[in-house]
Amino acid sequence: MKRILLLALPIALMTACNNAPSAAEGDAAPAKAPTAAAAAPIDGKLLGANHWVLDAATDSSGKRIDALFVRADKPVTLDFADGRLSVDNACNHMGGGYTLAGNEMTVSRMASTMMACNDQALMALDQAVGSRLEGTLKIDQLDASTLKLTSATGDVLTFRGEPTAETRYGGPGETVFLEVDSRTKPCSHPLIRNMQCLQVREVHYDDKGLEQGKRGEFYNFYDSIEGYAHEDGVRNVLRVKRYEVKNPPADASSRAYVLDMVVGSEVVKK
């Protein structure tokens, strides 16, 4: 029996092959199912090259989401760096991890600082932002000027790109700490009459955050600090990024300073 079965199998196969229609007889080959085109991968470097300022937001019916625009002077802004998404200009600073796959971004559950805001609409802004960014978002557009995201519920958020300082100055800056005195003082400038200069001095910390050495004397600071608004009577310690400016104009500084954060503040009585 074993021999007969072994011989019968190839005969059956040969018979089936001989009876099968051939392409030469004019029979068309079975059509293959169409495959969907793979989404182009998102350029993560482009995400990190800009601050993304919220310009427009609509729900699935096309209605403007007013709850996201309670700070007309300070729109909600996103920053992407090292796999982290940061949200500024809500009530609290918010942040969470993110990953990219194809044309989708997945944002983890976001954490925030716990500062209370007096305005109820501003307090609600944290929830309004977080609920729309957490989870999986479709990236409908990403270029140097526009980032468009669509949430799972159909909300569409459109952001305007503003180059980061690293992009503008061509590389990472040096982190320095500056103490800014509570009062400005008159200082001489060949192009600006009656100029008032910030009074600053550097502060040095070790990698554990402990101050090192003795602070020097305050000196006239002729540059500006992008993002910093001085308030008379308040002394601040600032963490700033200092950049070298390539080919500055003859009457401009070769360094640029950008505020990173206010480390500490103190009201000083006259």
Side-chain angles (χ1 to χ4, degrees), residues 212-234:
Q212 300 295 298
K214 184 179 179 180
R215 301 184 187 185
E217 298 295 321
F218 285 104
Y219 58 87
N220 291 333
F221 187 75
Y222 289 92
D223 294 301
S224 61
I225 302 173
E226 182 181 328
Y228 174 68
H230 182 69
E231 183 179 352
D232 195 44
V234 179

Side-chain angles (χ1 to χ4, degrees), residues 1 3 28 44 48 62 66 76 110 115-116 123 135 145 155 164 184 196 198 210 226 246-247 266:
M1 287 295 294
R3 262 189 199 174
D66 293 329
V76 171
M110 304 183 76
M115 182 178 69
M123 283 285 290
S145 61
D155 293 338
T164 65
T184 60
Q196 292 283 323
L198 294 174
L210 299 176
E226 182 181 328
K246 299 175 182 177
N247 302 316
E266 176 188 3

Side-chain angles (χ1 to χ4, degrees), residues 14-262:
M14 289 175 61
T15 304
C17 291
N18 290 334
N19 293 334
S22 65
E25 295 172 350
D27 294 331
K32 292 183 178 180
T35 56
I42 295 300
D43 185 352
K45 291 182 179 180
L46 190 55
L47 278 174
N50 291 291
H51 305 294
W52 297 101
V53 181
L54 185 63
D55 253 355
T58 56
D59 61 20
S60 57
S61 66
K63 183 180 179 182
R64 184 176 187 265
I65 305 173
D66 293 329
L68 293 176
F69 295 95
V70 297
R71 301 190 74 172
D73 58 329
K74 293 183 177 181
V76 171
T77 301
L78 310 184
D79 284 285
F80 298 87
D82 302 323
R84 299 283 300 175
L85 163 63
S86 298
V87 182
D88 286 309
N89 296 338
C91 172
N92 287 277
H93 176 78
M94 305 167 65
Y98 77 92
T99 56
L100 299 173
N103 65 338
E104 292 185 338
M105 175 192 304
T106 300
V107 180
S108 66
R109 186 170 181 80
M110 304 183 76
S112 72
T113 56
M114 300 300 290
M115 182 178 69
C117 300
N118 295 329
D119 190 317
Q120 290 300 314
L122 188 54
M123 283 285 290
L125 180 56
D126 288 3
Q127 172 63 23
V129 173
S131 63
R132 288 172 171 85
L133 291 179
E134 290 177 354
T136 299
L137 302 158
K138 182 182 176 185
I139 302 178
D140 294 311
Q141 182 179 350
L142 174 60
D143 53 40
S145 61
T146 304
L147 169 64
K148 183 180 288 187
L149 304 174
T150 300
S151 72
T153 58
D155 293 338
V156 179
L157 311 179
T158 304
F159 299 84
R160 178 182 73 255
E162 294 183 352
T164 65
E166 286 80 2
T167 300
R168 287 184 281 124
Y169 297 114
E174 176 190 8
T175 298
V176 295
F177 293 86
L178 298 177
E179 180 184 3
V180 182
D181 204 5
S182 58
R183 312 282 182 219
T184 60
K185 289 185 178 180
C187 55
S188 176
H189 193 286
L191 300 177
I192 303 175
R193 296 184 59 186
N194 304 319
M195 182 173 177
Q196 292 283 323
C197 282
L198 294 174
Q199 302 299 298
V200 308
R201 58 185 176 183
E202 287 199 32
V203 185
H204 301 278
Y205 299 95
D206 64 15
D207 56 3
K208 296 180 180 178
L210 299 176
E211 186 172 345
Q212 300 295 298
K214 184 179 179 180
R215 301 184 187 185
E217 298 295 321
F218 285 104
Y219 58 87
N220 291 333
F221 187 75
Y222 289 92
D223 294 301
S224 61
I225 302 173
E226 182 181 328
Y228 174 68
H230 182 69
E231 183 179 352
D232 195 44
V234 179
R235 180 181 296 156
N236 293 297
V237 175
L238 311 178
R239 187 175 73 191
V240 304
K241 291 286 190 179
R242 182 167 61 197
Y243 299 90
E244 297 297 325
V245 179
K246 299 175 182 177
N247 302 316
D251 57 350
S253 174
S254 61
R255 288 181 167 180
Y257 294 81
V258 180
L259 178 65
D260 191 13
M261 69 175 293
V262 178

